[in-house]
Amino acid sequence: MKRTIFGAAAALALAASAPCAHAQSFINVLTGGTSGVYYPLGVAIGKIYGDKIPNVKTQVQATKASVENLILLQQGRGELAFTLGDSLKAAWDGEEEAGFKNKLDKLRTIGAIYPNYIQIVATAESGIKTLADLKGKSLSVGAPKSGTELNSRAILAAAGMSYKDLGKVEYLPFAESVDLMKNRQLGATLQSAGLGVASLKDLSTSASITVVSVPKETVDKIGPPFISATIPANTYTGQDKDVPTAAVVNYLVTSSAVSDDLAYQMTKLVYESLPELANAHAAGKEIKLETAATGSPVPLHPGAIRYYKEKGLIK
């Protein structure tokens, strides 16, 4: 009996002395619509974390993307989120027009990932070939207050237009926009995503399309964080030429509430699992460790800084 009592007491003492050793962490990965790029990459990251971080449970949540993701992080309802750089800056600054009533001061960056390309695609029968041709036509600008929708406003403004110049504005996620185009109920869609986004691949294989260019002079009017970029020929079926456009960098973001150790592991596993991310989506091929610690409009998480110092990216 004494041995039993002593053994039980010893076990309790050991458990009390190391409460964190077996404590389960939870990582909710906030992504975007299931037909975009954030979601498949988020699923891959969730699996990597679940497989390689001891005592962690992961969940991948489909959302309306950037703006919603950042608000959820601030509220403590997520541990990792995908976001566009311009949305991230707007959140940190508390820009109400972008959907942020207050400054989101708990945001901390894990690292830069791939650039989002502004991809404006029209059905060939719509007759839309240039930005100016969008006047009086129907355009889906992305889910309300999403990063894509903020990009739509910026691109149209730089081209001397607003939503009032369009014939009809649809605020729809990627897949729903494509469904309307297939049914001849929508002329064009603006999708801010990595190259080879599933929704546009689907559209290009079922209808003749035109990929509308965003000229460099238009991009220059917007300025940072937008940069000039190119959608390479044959990214989509029927697109036989390179198309100039704009791009803006995406970031993985966490919260100051996430521990330094967990943020370190989250950062390390993303940038040391790039082949897996490339297999999950073509956009994963554009994620580079060398640029991971650069350009964020909000501070890096201390756990991420620790990893980047180990890799010699931060002194």
Side-chain angles (χ1 to χ4, degrees):
M1 177 68 77
K2 286 182 180 178
R3 285 180 184 174
T4 304
I5 293 171
F6 179 79
L12 285 170
L14 182 62
S17 67
C20 296
H22 302 289
Q24 181 149 19
S25 298
F26 187 77
I27 299 176
N28 187 26
V29 182
L30 304 166
T31 59
T34 54
S35 60
V37 179
Y38 287 173
Y39 188 79
L41 287 179
V43 169
I45 289 172
K47 185 177 188 308
I48 291 163
Y49 287 172
D51 289 346
K52 297 186 178 181
I53 302 178
N55 303 309
V56 72
K57 183 178 180 181
T58 62
Q59 173 181 300
V60 178
Q61 183 176 340
T63 68
K64 293 177 182 175
S66 298
V67 176
E68 182 182 11
N69 289 352
L70 297 172
I71 292 170
L72 290 172
L73 274 185
Q74 180 76 13
Q75 295 172 344
R77 295 166 63 190
E79 286 67 43
L80 186 75
F82 288 77
T83 183
L84 278 163
D86 56 336
S87 299
L88 185 56
K89 184 178 188 305
W92 189 249
D93 294 341
E95 288 184 21
E96 192 162 354
E97 275 192 19
F100 305 105
K101 294 180 180 178
N102 301 295
K103 294 184 178 183
L104 304 192
D105 59 354
K106 295 180 182 177
L107 303 179
R108 298 292 183 270
T109 297
I110 289 291
I113 44 175
Y114 65 92
N116 253 31
Y117 291 76
I118 307 302
Q119 299 168 80
I120 305 173
V121 177
T123 58
E125 68 178 21
S126 71
I128 299 168
K129 295 181 179 179
T130 67
L131 286 176
D133 292 337
L134 289 169
K135 288 184 179 180
K137 302 291 177 67
S138 56
L139 173 70
S140 178
V141 296
K145 300 292 186 183
S146 64
T148 290
E149 203 249 312
L150 297 182
N151 288 174
S152 296
R153 291 174 185 266
I155 295 294
L156 289 173
M161 288 186 283
S162 71
Y163 290 168
K164 292 178 181 178
D165 295 301
L166 303 174
K168 187 178 182 183
V169 180
E170 296 281 5
Y171 298 87
L172 294 172
F174 296 172
E176 286 88 335
S177 301
V178 164
D179 286 343
L180 285 186
M181 293 175 77
K182 287 180 180 179
N183 293 325
R184 299 181 175 181
Q185 295 175 291
L186 180 69
T189 177
L190 186 152
Q191 303 196 0
S192 179
L195 293 175
V197 63
S199 53
L200 296 179
K201 279 194 166 184
D202 175 32
L203 176 65
S204 71
T205 57
S206 57
S208 296
I209 64 165
T210 300
V211 182
V212 179
S213 70
V214 181
K216 184 179 184 301
E217 54 267 28
T218 302
V219 182
D220 290 345
K221 285 180 184 176
I222 309 172
F226 288 83
I227 57 172
S228 290
T230 300
I231 303 171
N234 302 311
T235 298
Y236 301 106
T237 303
Q239 179 217 340
D240 57 3
K241 294 180 181 178
D242 290 352
V243 177
T245 193
V248 59
V249 174
N250 285 284
Y251 290 87
L252 286 174
V253 185
T254 187
S255 158
S256 57
V258 171
S259 73
D260 291 2
D261 283 345
L262 184 57
Y264 168 81
Q265 291 181 82
M266 287 163 62
T267 309
K268 178 183 174 74
L269 285 171
V270 166
Y271 294 98
E272 295 187 1
S273 304
L274 296 183
E276 289 96 317
L277 299 186
N279 286 336
H281 194 282
K285 296 174 185 175
E286 298 187 60
I287 303 174
K288 310 292 182 187
L289 173 61
E290 305 85 72
T291 55
T294 62
S296 174
V298 312
L300 288 165
H301 193 289
I305 291 173
R306 176 180 149 200
Y307 175 69
Y308 294 134
K309 283 184 174 179
E310 282 182 5
K311 304 306 288 186
L313 297 174
I314 295 178
K315 293 182 180 180

